[in-house]
Amino acid sequence: MASTLEGVIVKFADRIAYINHDIDDAIRAGILSIDDIPKDIQKKAKEMSGSVVYISGQKKIEKDTEIKKASGVILADNGSELLILSQTLWNKEPSETAVTFVDGSKCEAAWKMCDYNMGIGLLAVSKEKIKKSFFDILSPPFF
């Protein structure tokens, strides 16, 4: 069990992402049908799905490039950027980090702050770089 607020948030964000992937996998495998999921849960999942993102980072290590991936959750809009909570990918910032949104669009991201001991960080993506159509996917309580 997580003992800090940051740990609880990351655990919650990871759980959302993993459950989403498990349901997607079950539907693709024919084990589960979308009709098996109660309508009220389908509605809430659709509202929330826009806030889950995928993070990828790459870092040069000697002559090789290492790529790591994680999931994240959009936490806030500070007016000029979307702020995203994610686990850190390395114990130092990667040379490149990108966020892939639910609509498939991908944007460069910058780490605003990281707690490498806790393994969490806050990323920022400039709203100017995000497709305008993506904001139609998001719904309250996010924006």
Side-chain angles (χ1 to χ4, degrees):
M1 175 134 185
S3 61
T4 65
L5 177 60
E6 293 89 353
V8 171
I9 292 170
V10 169
K11 187 172 183 170
F12 181 69
D14 279 346
R15 186 170 292 163
I16 291 169
Y18 286 123
I19 290 170
N20 181 48
H21 291 299
D22 288 346
I23 291 171
D24 284 346
D25 291 346
I27 290 171
R28 274 195 291 274
I31 297 168
L32 185 68
S33 163
I34 197 73
D35 295 328
D36 295 329
I37 301 170
K39 297 294 181 202
D40 59 331
I41 293 175
Q42 288 183 39
K43 182 180 176 195
K44 186 52 89 176
K46 186 174 182 180
E47 290 172 6
M48 303 285 288
S49 68
S51 67
V52 177
V53 298
Y54 301 96
I55 314 295
S56 60
Q58 63 182 39
K59 184 177 184 177
K60 292 274 188 196
I61 299 176
E62 296 187 23
K63 295 181 181 180
D64 295 324
T65 300
E66 185 177 355
I67 297 173
K68 290 190 177 182
K69 297 181 180 184
S71 58
V73 176
I74 300 171
L75 290 183
D77 176 348
N78 70 8
S80 61
E81 302 165 314
L82 292 185
L83 302 176
I84 300 163
L85 179 70
S86 178
Q87 70 185 66
T88 55
L89 301 174
W90 286 275
N91 60 356
K92 293 183 179 175
E93 289 182 28
S95 54
E96 294 180 29
T97 303
V99 171
T100 303
F101 295 98
V102 70
D103 67 351
S105 62
K106 192 173 186 177
C107 294
E108 182 182 318
W111 291 95
K112 298 282 266 187
M113 61 177 60
C114 294
D115 183 333
Y116 297 111
N117 293 324
M118 295 294 300
I120 61 171
L122 189 66
L123 289 153
V125 176
S126 170
K127 288 174 62 177
E128 292 178 355
K129 295 180 181 180
I130 301 170
K131 287 182 183 178
K132 301 295 181 216
S133 59
F134 171 73
F135 292 99
D136 294 337
I137 296 170
L138 293 178
S139 62
F142 301 102
F143 304 99

